[in-house]
Amino acid sequence: ANAERNAISNASFIADKAENAIKSVLRSLSDSERASLVAIVDPPRAGLHGDVLKALRACNEIERLIFVSCHAPAFAQNAVALCRPPSSSFHGDPFEIRHAYPVDLFPGTDHVELVVVLERAGRRHFHETSDATEHATQKDEQAKLPRHFAKASTHAPEAVQNDTHAPEAV
């Protein structure tokens, strides 16, 4: 009803468990749609259910995974399952973390959303270029980001380092 009211005709809405819906969604896609498949997950604070993690890993058509997390420790646990080598429990090529962005949606609190881009390990992705070009492109992309959406790194921006309200590292 909401999509209809807002004249959204290029989206599908499925009410089902993710681990069940993945299979039916994949069957409905054309070969060209499967060629550059991206999945987006925004799980509850506890993270993704184990069955969903296994389904995402087993679905080799998913080249890129955008993971939005409101609880970094839960993401860390999920990342182990998504990035570990294949096993009898975790089929499919593992993912690698490419980028991580902390997003402060609640200034003045300890809560930060984490947006992580994962891609299949060992595959050449459509956006990859030479190292020099990639580095220059990343710097250009970072320069375009708003201040509150800075790329996560081991060197926090000076404003964050001097923030007495920032949570301690775990």
Side-chain angles (χ1 to χ4, degrees):
N2 230 358
E4 191 175 296
R5 260 189 301 236
N6 290 296
I8 297 173
S9 60
N10 62 347
S12 299
F13 300 89
I14 301 164
D16 197 358
K17 290 184 172 185
E19 59 271 27
N20 297 336
I22 283 177
K23 294 171 188 167
S24 64
V25 168
L26 284 175
R27 281 192 299 270
S28 71
L29 298 176
S30 69
D31 289 340
S32 64
E33 289 172 321
R34 280 190 212 150
S36 58
L37 195 58
V38 176
I40 302 170
V41 294
D42 185 5
R45 188 168 173 78
L48 291 174
H49 186 276
D51 291 342
V52 176
L53 292 166
K54 289 177 183 179
L56 289 168
R57 271 293 297 270
C59 182
N60 271 318
E61 289 91 343
I62 298 173
E63 287 288 328
R64 181 179 289 161
L65 177 63
I66 309 299
F67 198 116
V68 180
S69 176
C70 64
H71 190 60
F75 167 75
Q77 282 186 316
N78 287 172
V80 169
L82 292 168
C83 300
R84 65 180 289 167
S87 67
S88 59
S89 297
F90 288 90
H91 304 282
D93 296 333
F95 287 93
E96 291 179 337
I97 296 173
R98 298 288 186 193
H99 305 281
Y101 302 94
V103 183
D104 188 4
L105 296 176
F106 310 103
T109 71
D110 292 343
H111 301 286
V112 176
E113 294 288 313
L114 181 62
V115 179
V116 183
V117 178
L118 299 104
E119 292 178 343
R120 291 290 180 170
R123 295 187 192 174
R124 180 145 177 88
H125 300 280
F126 64 91
H127 69 282
E128 289 182 353
T129 56
S130 71
D131 288 341
T133 305
E134 185 173 336
H135 181 69
T137 303
Q138 286 176 353
K139 286 181 78 174
D140 290 344
E141 288 173 1
Q142 287 176 355
K144 294 177 193 174
L145 292 174
R147 282 188 172 159
H148 65 278
F149 193 75
K151 185 172 183 175
S153 71
T154 55
H155 304 291
E158 186 175 315
V160 174
Q161 290 175 349
N162 294 332
D163 186 357
T164 57
H165 301 292
E168 292 183 23
V170 180

